[in-house]
Amino acid sequence: MDRQFRNALGVFALSLVAAGVAWAATARERSLAIYPAQNIPLRFDHAQHLEAGADCATCHDSVSKSEVARDRNLPAHPECETCHDIEAAQKGQKTDPPASCGTCHPGFDPTVRKEPAKLDLPPANLRFTHKVHLDKKVECVTCHGDMTKVTLATRQQLPKMATCFECHDGRAASNACTTCHLKEASGRLQLNFSSGILRPMQGDPLGLDHGPRYEFNHGSRAAVSRQLCSQCHSDSYCQKCHDSLQKPLSVHPNDYITLHPVQARTDAQRCESCHRLQSFCAACHERVGVGMDADPSLRPRNAKVHPDYATWVQIPGPQHHGIVASRDIRQCAACHREESCMSCHSELSQRQQVNPHPNGFANNCKKLAAANDRACLKCHSETSLAQKGCR
C-alpha cells in the first residue's frame, strides 16, 4: 500500500474517531437554544467558598424571591464585601481573605483601565421560578449538582431535562412541555432563538434524539407519538417533505434510480407516502422509456418487464396481466395510466374491445352503477349503459 495513501487513511480514521468523541460529548452538553453561550472572565472557586463555611444563600440570596428565568441571581460587590474587604484592598492594605481586583478579575489593573471585562451571561430561554422550587423544599444540589467539586460554575452546572423529569413526571409536577419551554402565539414551542435552534439532543429522556439520519426512523415514532411531535411541528412543516414537491437529498442514497425498483416492489406503501404513482412514477418512467405510453425511440431494447405476449395477454392463468393487476394494481400503475387499460377494455376505444368483466357481472352491474357510475362511464357511454340494462 502506498505510504501517502496509508497516511491519508490514518488521518481519515482519526477524524472519524474525533467526530465520534465530539458527538458523544453532546450527551453531556447543554442546548445553546436553552442556555446561550456565556463569557465569564472571572476567577472563582465554589469548592473553596463552601469549604470555608459559605452556603448557597450567602451569595445567591436573591433566588428566594426570583420568579423568572431572566433574573440575574449572581453576587455583586455588596455580597462579596461580606467577607472580602474590597475598600481596604483598594487602599493598598493587606486583607484576609484577599480582596484585590485581581483576586476575581484576572489581569485587571485599575490604574490602566477603569472597568474590568464584563460578564456575558444571557438568561435561559425557559419559564422558571426559583421561588416556587425553594418553597417546595427543592435543594440546590438537586438541580445544580455537587458544587463542592466545582471551581467556576458554567453552563455545565445548569440542569438538563433528565434532571427536571425526576420531579416533573406528570404526578409530582406537570410534565407538559410548555411548563418550562417558551411557546409561540400558535401554542407550539418556540424553536428558533438567536443562540440556536431547539431540538432534542443525544441523551434526551424522551428518546427523541434528532441526530443524523433521524429522518429515516422518525416515521414510526411520529405514528405513535403524534401529539408529542405536534408540540413543535405543524402539519405544514411535515408536508414540506411529504408532499413530494422537494425531496430532501438525504432520503435516498446515490444512484438510487438504479436501486429503487427493489424497494418499490417490496415496500410500495412507503414510497407512496411521498410519491404519487400516476403523477410521479408513471411520468418519470415514460420520460426514460419505461412505460407503455413512452416514446418508442426511448424504450430500452434489453429490458423485459412482462412474460411473453401469449402468457401475458392471451392465455388465462396465474401470469395473465389481469390476474397480476388484481393482486397488486400499484405495480401496474407505476408504468401504466388508466388510458393504457382503456385502449383495449373501453367501448369508447377505437381498438379491439376486450370485456374485462367476469361471467355473471351483468347481474350486478345495475346495483354497482347506481352506487357509483364514475368507473362505468370511464369505458361506457350513457346510451351503452341504458342498453345493457344498467340504468
Side-chain angles (χ1 to χ4, degrees):
M1 183 183 294
D2 182 78
R3 175 179 295 179
Q4 186 176 3
F5 178 74
R6 288 200 304 268
N7 292 338
L9 188 62
V11 171
F12 177 69
L14 288 174
S15 67
L16 287 179
V17 172
V21 171
W23 177 248
T26 61
R28 301 186 298 273
E29 187 52 83
R30 272 71 177 160
S31 169
L32 286 170
I34 299 299
Y35 302 124
Q38 302 172 338
N39 180 29
I40 312 176
L42 290 177
R43 181 189 293 118
F44 190 83
D45 192 327
H46 277 87
Q48 183 179 5
H49 282 71
L50 291 171
E51 185 178 354
D55 59 17
C56 299
T58 303
C59 300
H60 304 282
D61 181 58
S62 61
V63 297
S64 61
K65 300 177 182 179
S66 175
E67 296 185 350
V68 292
R70 64 176 177 271
D71 288 343
R72 187 165 176 168
N73 300 299
L74 298 176
H77 278 186
E79 287 79 13
C80 299
E81 285 177 327
T82 303
C83 300
H84 298 268
D85 193 345
I86 298 177
E87 185 177 350
Q90 289 176 340
K91 295 178 180 179
Q93 300 175 12
K94 187 175 182 181
T95 62
D96 185 23
S100 65
C101 297
T103 302
C104 297
H105 303 281
F108 173 61
D109 185 352
T111 62
V112 177
R113 53 193 177 103
K114 294 183 179 180
E115 298 290 337
K118 291 186 176 181
L119 280 68
D120 185 11
L121 292 171
N125 295 312
L126 289 172
R127 297 176 67 244
F128 185 81
T129 165
H130 275 93
K131 184 178 185 301
V132 169
H133 286 74
L134 291 174
D135 289 346
K136 292 182 177 293
K137 309 301 181 184
V138 178
E139 299 290 338
C140 301
V141 67
T142 302
C143 299
H144 297 289
D146 184 5
M147 301 299 292
T148 62
K149 301 177 181 178
V150 176
T151 53
L152 181 65
T154 65
R155 297 167 67 249
Q156 295 302 114
Q157 278 66 52
L158 297 173
K160 297 191 71 175
M161 190 159 63
T163 303
C164 302
F165 273 8
E166 292 178 7
C167 296
H168 288 268
D169 56 2
R171 297 184 298 273
S174 172
N175 61 356
C177 299
T178 52
T179 301
C180 299
H181 289 285
L182 304 182
K183 61 181 180 180
E184 298 177 336
S186 64
R188 292 188 176 87
L189 299 189
Q190 182 178 344
L191 304 181
N192 297 306
F193 298 91
S194 59
S195 57
I197 299 176
L198 178 62
R199 59 186 299 165
M201 301 167 62
Q202 189 178 26
D204 168 65
L206 296 177
L208 290 175
D209 174 21
H210 286 30
R213 314 295 283 177
Y214 184 66
E215 64 270 25
F216 285 94
N217 54 37
H218 76 281
S220 57
R221 187 60 191 266
V224 298
S225 304
R226 188 173 184 84
Q227 187 174 4
L228 182 60
C229 299
S230 66
Q231 295 289 315
C232 295
H233 304 294
S234 63
D235 289 343
S236 60
Y237 177 89
C238 303
Q239 288 301 320
K240 288 180 182 178
C241 291
H242 288 280
D243 63 3
S244 191
L245 296 178
Q246 183 175 356
K247 176 179 72 66
L249 297 178
S250 59
V251 171
H252 297 312
N254 292 335
D255 194 29
Y256 189 70
I257 290 179
T258 303
L259 305 173
H260 81 280
V262 177
Q263 185 174 357
R265 288 177 182 272
T266 58
D267 194 3
Q269 288 186 336
R270 182 178 181 184
C271 302
E272 290 172 26
S273 65
C274 291
H275 305 294
R276 297 181 179 88
L277 289 172
Q278 290 292 286
S279 62
F280 185 88
C281 302
C284 182
H285 289 176
E286 289 172 8
R287 288 195 299 271
V288 298
V290 181
M292 184 173 179
D293 296 325
D295 188 303
S297 64
L298 297 175
R299 294 179 184 173
R301 298 181 180 181
N302 62 343
K304 184 176 178 62
V305 178
H306 302 310
D308 61 86
Y309 183 82
T311 302
W312 184 245
V313 177
Q314 296 178 329
I315 303 173
Q319 289 188 297
H320 188 273
H321 73 280
I323 302 299
V324 174
S326 66
R327 288 200 299 261
D328 186 7
I329 192 67
R330 292 189 186 91
Q331 184 174 325
C332 304
C335 292
H336 301 286
R337 302 181 185 273
E338 285 183 338
E339 293 80 4
S340 302
C341 305
M342 291 165 59
S343 63
C344 292
H345 295 296
S346 171
E347 284 187 345
L348 306 178
S349 172
Q350 301 299 318
R351 298 177 59 179
Q352 178 184 2
Q353 300 169 11
V354 180
N355 182 6
H357 300 306
N359 294 332
F361 182 79
N363 298 330
N364 295 319
C365 70
K366 187 172 184 178
K367 182 190 300 183
L368 295 172
N372 183 6
D373 63 359
R374 292 177 63 186
C376 306
L377 292 173
K378 288 283 187 179
C379 298
H380 303 284
S381 64
E382 292 277 3
T383 304
S384 172
L385 290 176
Q387 291 174 349
K388 295 177 182 297
C390 297
R391 287 296 195 206

